Amino acid sequence: MSKTILITGASTGFGRDTAETLARAGHHVFASIRAVLPAMRKQKDGLIMNIGSILGRVTFPFFGIYGASKFAVEALTDSLRYEVSQLGIEVALVQPSAYPTPMYSNVQQPADTARAASYGAVGEIPGAMFKHFISTFEAANAPNPHDVAEAIAKLVDQPKGSRPARTVVGAAFGSDTVNQQTAPVQAHVVEALGLGHLAKVA
């Protein structure tokens, strides 16, 4: 069944691939547009999917700033899920692993090579990590970033109320375990506030 779908951040990477995938599947897609909640509230129906990362659950060295932004997406998504559930709106989070996207090709290297060299062996680790990722992405069995768009399309097609709160795509690095162990704790927090009913979409 065709649905109307809004995707922000759709100029490159997962956003663009997802927009094109859903459009090919017959959905009516609006890309790079924001302020949609009032329309969803009026129709008492809607699905919001945020794109996080496994690095919103586990941490890689030298990815601290990126990981911090994704940890924030985790909190924002959970809070939003409760806030709009009784309006008939569902919120889900997709957590991709490492995939060959423009994020890696656009990484800037430090201009002050002498300063980097002063850190010795530690200063060589970030470059070695990126070389490892790039070699993985160029291998014959490289992870396919289209996996993310396919996972999103699958979630879109699931019936309302049946979608998981979080979906890991690709190598989990233990983030799936963190998801499983955190879910009951988070549920208890909301119940302790007397707001357990917000955990299910109306």
Side-chain angles (χ1 to χ4, degrees):
M1 183 170 111
S2 179
K3 298 180 180 180
T4 300
I5 297 171
L6 168 75
I7 300 177
T8 62
S11 60
T12 62
F14 297 137
R16 179 169 183 165
D17 190 20
T18 299
E20 293 172 351
T21 298
L22 292 171
R24 283 194 300 270
H27 298 291
H28 191 55
V29 179
F30 292 89
S32 289
I33 305 170
R34 286 171 177 77
V36 72
L37 192 58
M40 289 183 175
R41 187 178 67 231
K42 184 177 180 180
Q43 67 190 15
K44 295 182 171 54
D45 188 42
L47 170 62
I48 297 171
M49 275 196 281
N50 289 337
I51 308 301
S53 169
I54 62 164
L55 294 183
R57 287 301 208 187
V58 296
T59 300
F60 288 0
F62 303 98
F63 279 77
I65 294 173
Y66 180 81
S69 72
K70 297 306 181 181
F71 267 77
V73 171
E74 294 284 337
L76 286 169
T77 300
D78 274 343
S79 183
L80 182 62
R81 182 182 300 112
Y82 299 133
E83 292 162 3
V84 300
S85 67
Q86 302 311 292
L87 303 176
I89 301 168
E90 197 166 10
V91 179
L93 179 66
V94 177
Q95 299 166 310
S97 188
Y99 282 96
T101 68
M103 183 187 91
Y104 288 91
S105 59
N106 292 336
V107 166
Q108 294 181 342
Q109 298 299 324
D112 187 350
T113 55
R115 186 181 302 274
S118 72
Y119 283 88
V122 173
E124 297 173 3
I125 295 174
M129 289 181 68
F130 277 100
K131 283 181 183 176
H132 169 74
F133 282 122
I134 296 302
S135 65
T136 300
F137 296 156
E138 293 174 348
N141 60 344
N144 185 350
H146 189 61
D147 294 346
V148 178
E150 291 289 351
I152 292 170
K154 182 178 177 182
L155 286 167
V156 167
D157 288 338
Q158 287 184 235
K160 183 176 180 177
S162 70
R163 299 177 180 100
R166 288 171 170 79
T167 300
V168 176
V169 185
F173 287 94
S175 59
D176 52 347
T177 302
V178 177
N179 288 343
Q180 293 166 4
Q181 294 181 345
T182 303
V185 176
Q186 181 60 51
H188 179 72
V189 169
V190 178
E191 289 167 6
L193 295 171
L195 299 172
H197 64 289
L198 299 183
K200 291 192 178 296
V201 68

